[in-house]
Amino acid sequence: YTPRHVPFLYYSYVAANPSRCAEHVVDYAQSFAADLASGAYRYMWITPNICDDMHDCSLQVADAWLQKTVTQIQASDAYKNGGAIFILFDEGSSRLPGATADLATLVVSPKLVSSGFTSQTPYNHASYLATVEDIFGMPRLETTQDATAMDEFFQLR
């Protein structure tokens, strides 16, 4: 992967602390399966390498990587017990039919309101961050104070 795709490296308390960085920013290929199986983490950020994210390789390569990764996550106990997968694209030049933005986001969860749920609400990357902050009971950052959280997707108990 390229470091510019890992948002946590932009926080000095992560990047400036080599032991914290080494503990929390880990190589996907070496630790994903074990970390997922351990059930120790409530949140995992996965950044594909520049081949698997469609920058340097074909759609077929990226699609195969995403299918394998999502299948592994869906087989985990954490996912089965209310987990969620957010697939966020950070760029785009075409719109999906009916979409009002160029950036696609997919939400996959056993806690969706309904199978195939779609929303007419415009969301952005701040919405995702606000959703994560709300899920974990964290205070909102200044940049997410007015963001719309994506809670309409989920059955809240």
Side-chain angles (χ1 to χ4, degrees):
Y1 73 93
T2 59
R4 71 179 181 269
H5 290 154
V6 182
F8 306 104
L9 295 178
Y10 291 91
Y11 292 94
S12 60
Y13 64 86
V14 174
N17 183 332
S19 62
R20 183 181 182 100
C21 192
E23 182 180 341
H24 295 289
V25 181
V26 296
D27 183 87
Y28 169 84
Q30 293 178 350
S31 66
F32 174 66
D35 288 346
L36 188 61
S38 77
Y41 300 98
R42 292 187 60 214
Y43 181 87
M44 294 174 78
W45 175 276
I46 301 168
T47 300
N49 64 37
I50 58 175
C51 181
D52 293 329
D53 75 358
M54 292 187 283
H55 279 101
D56 288 1
C57 293
S58 69
L59 175 62
Q60 291 78 14
V61 169
D63 187 54
W65 178 87
L66 185 60
Q67 181 178 9
K68 178 182 175 188
T69 302
V70 168
T71 300
Q72 286 179 279
I73 294 169
Q74 288 178 309
S76 73
D77 288 337
Y79 176 82
K80 292 176 186 176
N81 293 318
I85 303 167
F86 292 86
I87 302 169
L88 302 150
F89 291 84
D90 67 349
E91 56 195 61
S93 60
S94 62
R95 291 190 174 157
L96 297 173
T100 59
D102 293 337
L103 303 176
T105 297
L106 304 173
V107 180
V108 183
S109 175
K111 294 286 189 176
L112 285 180
V113 171
S114 64
S115 178
F117 178 79
T118 59
S119 174
Q120 298 305 310
T121 304
Y123 293 107
N124 57 31
H125 288 84
S127 299
Y128 166 74
L129 182 54
T131 303
V132 172
E133 290 167 336
D134 292 354
I135 288 170
F136 289 102
M138 298 165 57
R140 292 270 187 105
L141 295 170
E142 184 177 331
T143 57
T144 59
Q145 287 294 318
D146 297 323
T148 303
M150 302 167 82
D151 56 358
E152 73 170 310
F153 285 83
F154 302 101
Q155 300 171 20
L156 302 175
R157 303 217 189 246

